[in-house]
């Protein structure tokens, strides 16, 4: 487990309600320069947008399956994500694809995915881009 006193985290994806990690990270000065963090953020989001649910023609990021992305001072990225259902046939492949895509971003040391079920995913979590792509207006 990471030592919170020595680790600043930067949230990249929108946090789930009630999270305090971003507030704690805001109290400590970041060790990753702001311009480097902006580049990493853009590239991590771009990497996440390359992973598609094989049954839905939209990427995981726009579907709202990525709940939180944290990066510590050692450039270890932790991703909390969910699946459309606990019985998702791609449950074995998608977390590994996400880890590989994010770990492939220049400057990321390692990536780890945690599958979470709370809150459960529902279509309201999708972005406007995903809704448009899936004709769900």
């Amino acid at each position: 487990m990471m030592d919170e006193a020595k680790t600043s985290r930067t949230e990249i994806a929108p946090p789930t309600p009630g999270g305090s990690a971003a507030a704690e990270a805001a109290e400590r000065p970041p060790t990753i320069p702001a311009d480097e963090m902006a580049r990493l953020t853009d590239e991590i989001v771009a990497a996440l947008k390359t992973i598609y649910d094989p049954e839905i023609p939209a990427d995981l990021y726009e579907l709202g399956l990525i709940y939180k992305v944290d990066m510590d001072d050692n450039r270890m990225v932790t991703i909390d994500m969910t699946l459309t259902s606990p019985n998702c046939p791609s449950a074995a492949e998608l977390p590994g694809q996400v880890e590989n895509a994010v770990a492939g971003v220049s400057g990321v040391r390692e990536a780890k995915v945690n599958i979470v079920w709370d809150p459960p995913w529902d279509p309201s979590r999708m972005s406007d881009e995903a809704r448009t792509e899936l004709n769900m207006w």
Side-chain angles (χ1 to χ4, degrees):
M1 182 148 224
M2 292 184 282
D3 181 354
E4 291 291 331
K6 296 180 182 176
T7 305
S8 70
R9 289 195 246 176
T10 302
E11 252 177 48
I12 296 170
T16 55
S20 64
E24 291 172 14
E27 294 174 9
R28 291 186 299 275
T31 60
I32 301 173
D35 59 336
E36 175 72 354
M37 185 54 73
R39 180 194 66 81
L40 286 166
T41 298
D42 291 346
E43 291 184 16
I44 289 170
V45 170
L48 291 169
K49 292 179 79 159
T50 66
I51 312 297
Y52 284 75
D53 184 310
E55 297 180 335
I56 305 170
D59 68 79
L60 301 186
Y61 188 82
E62 297 299 336
L63 282 172
L65 296 174
I66 306 297
Y67 284 0
K68 184 169 62 173
V69 178
D70 284 333
M71 179 181 291
D72 69 19
D73 289 342
N74 295 318
R75 297 173 183 246
M76 169 65 184
V77 177
T78 304
I79 302 121
D80 287 352
M81 68 172 284
T82 194
L83 302 168
T84 53
S85 83
N87 298 321
C88 176
S90 300
E93 299 95 32
L94 289 176
Q97 290 175 359
V98 169
E99 284 179 351
N100 291 336
V102 172
V105 171
S106 177
V108 170
R109 185 174 57 88
E110 188 178 346
K112 180 180 184 288
V113 169
N114 299 315
I115 297 295
V116 297
W117 301 109
D118 187 33
W121 181 86
D122 66 68
S124 71
R125 301 185 77 81
M126 293 190 304
S127 70
D128 289 346
E129 182 178 320
R131 290 177 192 284
T132 300
E133 192 170 325
L134 298 172
N135 198 26
M136 292 185 73
W137 289 106

